[in-house]
Amino acid sequence: MDILQFQQELVEYSKTIGIDKIGFASASPFEELKSRLLRQQELGYQSGFEPKDIEKRTNPELLMPGAKSIIAIALAYPSKLKDAPRSTRTERRGMFARASWGEDYHHVLRDRLQKLESYILEKLPDAKLQSMVDTGELSDRAVAERAGIGWSGKNCAIITPEFGSYVYLGEMITNIPFAPDTPIEDQCGSCRACLDACPTGALVQGGQINAQRCVSFLTQTKDFLPEEFRTKIGNRLYGCDSCQTACPKNKGIDFHFHEEMEPNPEVVKPLLKPILSISNREFKETFGSLSGSWRGKKPLQRNAIIALSHFKDISAIPELTTVLKEDPRPVLRGTAAWAIGKIGDKSALSILEEARLKEKDEQVLQEIEKGLNMLNN
Ligand code: B12
Ligand code: SF4
Ligand code: SF4
């Protein structure tokens, strides 16, 4: 079989199944990535969500003996919310980041990669193929960069000339010797808009993140949010897009190619107060299909409380009081106490004083104290 011709056919086929960009890379070890990963680990700059085995992450041969090439794919996702519901003074809303709009992208990209696998296997039944999206060992960005999908921006994102950085990435390791594409030249130039827009200074320098400070990471943690960051996350319920919305390469970019990725505005910009008391069933029904629900409902509820404090929504005091009095989870009780302190006036003192008498959890008691201090000052 003529591999080059097959490669061209594959590119053509990919367009018919909803793959917006495809590229090919060699499967040789990712040496630069390896030292980068080790450095990030040393500095304590990783999120903890990265796969642990750095050897496997950087040597495709360990994932597939005989690996020859990697097919990288990118799917563009929407960036503008049509008919967004308005947030009003007593009906405040939170926000899911764009990467959590529509159906969980892992499913969408896996579907495309599966179709691609079937197509390849029809022509080359003995081919060895291994697909992954996000949760696999490989760095999706490093593969995409090598395969010429886009360049690696100062905001760390892979930026495509066609769709900006609003693309999901996935890949397939193969034992087929496809011809590699050429990487795209860096087009950031002297721009630093993303670094300036980052609310926490998580982008320590162009292309380097301290994920422990990244709001996207912080919205996905389950414990108390350190106080320093509570005033930074704003109304974000999941993820953060600031370093992408600030990027001039994303200006005017808004593609709606995939039905599955269309957001439901009421779901991705939901009312905050109802989230505080949402049942497990309702949560699953409403948010279960979003990628942003993978950590369960607790982080989203904690973030909703923080968002209400961000808006200083005094009408939320009754709901916050119920959380403080009745929620079995200390993180939510404590965050609610802190939020009451932030939002309330002197009349809220009795709520916190009463809670202080009944509360047994040490951390919640500390948050109640912080709340009382805010109300007294
Ligand atoms: C862990 C993780 C996170 C962590 C850490 C992010 C990070 N920047 O490392 C947290 C939770 C913070 C996070 C947040 C987000 N994530 Co995330 N995340 C991942 C995951 C699982 C692993 C990333 C990783 O290994 N990082 C370690 C760093 C060191 O490596 P890397 O970024 O993968 O590779 C680059 C660097 O190594 C760099 N590099 C290597 N050597 C050197 C040397 C120098 C000098 C320099 C400058 C750079 C450099 O080049 C590589 C290619 O760009 C990937 C999926 C995957 N399996 O790859 C998704 C992934 C990176 N995330 C993604 C997305 C969409 C996001 C968010 C936008 C979501 C949101 N809206 O909140 C934010 C963006 C935050 C940001 N600015 O990076 C997409 C990125 C798509 C794209 N167009 O780039 C991915 C690829 C998932 C997917 N399959 O689509 N994420
Ligand atoms: S996602 Fe938000 S917090 Fe993280 S680096 Fe980008 S702007 Fe900074
Ligand atoms: S904002 Fe500027 S520096 Fe940052 S990724 Fe975009 S083009 Fe590059």
Side-chain angles (χ1 to χ4, degrees):
M1 145 147 346
D2 181 340
I3 295 290
L4 266 182
Q5 194 193 327
F6 180 51
Q7 187 164 343
Q8 199 44 50
E9 279 169 29
L10 201 57
V11 171
E12 290 308 318
Y13 174 69
S14 74
K15 292 180 192 156
T16 68
I17 55 166
I19 290 175
D20 301 322
K21 194 160 185 186
I22 190 164
F24 298 81
S26 92
S28 60
F30 289 83
E31 293 301 348
E32 200 188 344
L33 175 69
K34 186 173 171 181
S35 46
R36 185 62 162 193
L37 289 171
L38 289 167
R39 185 87 188 113
Q40 288 289 95
Q41 202 172 52
E42 242 170 57
L43 291 165
Y45 281 178
Q46 291 194 314
S47 67
F49 298 149
E50 299 80 3
K52 303 281 171 285
D53 190 330
I54 291 183
E55 291 300 329
K56 279 193 185 156
R57 293 209 73 187
T58 54
N59 188 355
E61 176 75 23
L62 295 177
L63 301 173
M64 178 194 282
K68 292 271 186 320
S69 69
I70 310 175
I71 306 175
I73 67 163
L75 268 71
Y77 57 86
S79 83
K80 293 203 167 64
L81 194 57
K82 293 176 188 154
D83 306 320
R86 283 185 43 152
S87 196
T88 65
R89 211 159 50 84
T90 56
E91 299 279 283
R92 294 296 188 178
R93 291 175 183 270
M95 211 53 223
F96 280 83
R98 290 161 178 77
S100 178
W101 290 3
E103 192 187 321
D104 186 333
Y105 71 90
H106 299 85
H107 303 161
V108 184
L109 270 77
R110 275 183 204 136
D111 166 75
R112 304 301 191 269
L113 285 163
Q114 226 149 42
K115 289 187 169 119
L116 214 53
E117 283 193 11
S118 304
Y119 184 84
I120 297 173
L121 289 173
E122 221 174 84
K123 310 274 158 94
L124 291 172
D126 295 332
K128 281 208 287 177
L129 310 171
Q130 194 184 334
S131 295
M132 53 194 83
V133 178
D134 187 51
T135 55
E137 304 284 345
L138 293 179
S139 156
D140 300 340
R141 282 173 169 164
V143 172
E145 185 184 22
R146 187 186 273 184
I149 296 284
W151 77 94
S152 182
K154 287 185 195 168
N155 60 4
C156 297
I158 290 299
I159 307 177
T160 68
E162 304 88 344
F163 317 112
S165 63
Y166 297 131
V167 288
Y168 299 119
L169 305 172
E171 63 268 344
M172 187 193 301
I173 312 177
T174 87
N175 64 345
I176 311 166
F178 288 121
D181 285 307
T182 317
I184 291 180
E185 204 177 310
D186 187 320
Q187 292 172 31
C188 282
S190 60
C191 174
R192 46 169 291 125
C194 50
L195 288 100
D196 296 339
C198 178
T200 54
L203 295 170
V204 290
Q205 58 174 320
Q208 186 177 32
I209 197 170
N210 175 356
Q212 291 293 321
R213 293 188 67 81
C214 173
V215 172
S216 177
F217 164 71
L218 293 164
T219 60
Q220 299 175 54
T221 58
K222 294 187 175 179
D223 209 340
F224 280 101
L225 199 63
E227 217 178 334
E228 165 190 9
F229 298 121
R230 290 184 203 165
T231 48
K232 306 275 190 198
I233 78 167
N235 73 334
R236 298 178 188 85
L237 294 174
Y238 175 85
C240 171
D241 282 331
S242 297
C243 54
Q244 295 190 91
T245 51
C247 177
K249 308 292 177 192
N250 282 337
K251 199 157 185 261
I253 297 283
D254 179 30
F255 290 102
H256 295 256
F257 294 148
H258 311 279
E259 193 59 43
E260 308 97 305
M261 293 180 187
E262 283 309 312
N264 176 339
E266 275 296 329
V267 173
V268 301
K269 192 180 174 188
L271 287 169
L272 290 169
K273 281 186 278 188
I275 294 178
L276 271 42
S277 56
I278 194 168
S279 70
N280 287 340
R281 221 187 83 190
E282 264 178 288
F283 177 77
K284 236 180 134 181
E285 274 170 17
T286 315
F287 301 111
S289 64
L290 307 185
S291 65
S293 71
W294 77 287
R295 299 283 282 166
K297 72 175 185 173
K298 191 168 89 167
L300 295 175
Q301 289 182 304
R302 180 203 62 186
N303 300 341
I305 295 172
I306 295 172
L308 287 164
S309 78
H310 161 76
F311 289 122
K312 294 216 174 355
D313 182 357
I314 195 126
S315 77
I317 297 278
E319 282 88 348
L320 292 168
T321 306
T322 306
V323 173
L324 175 59
K325 280 186 170 164
E326 294 174 11
D327 202 287
R329 296 158 297 179
V331 168
L332 294 198
R333 293 202 303 281
T335 309
W338 177 86
I340 291 170
K342 193 118 179 86
I343 299 168
D345 52 24
K346 295 268 186 243
S347 67
L349 276 170
S350 61
I351 302 170
L352 294 184
E353 278 160 358
E354 201 182 302
R356 180 166 58 180
L357 294 176
K358 299 204 180 111
E359 185 59 58
K360 301 268 185 306
D361 186 281
E362 204 39 58
Q363 271 180 301
V364 180
L365 281 165
Q366 281 174 22
E367 297 297 333
I368 293 175
E369 280 314 317
K370 286 183 202 162
L372 284 167
N373 277 341
M374 284 189 265
L375 293 178
N376 281 320
N377 288 321

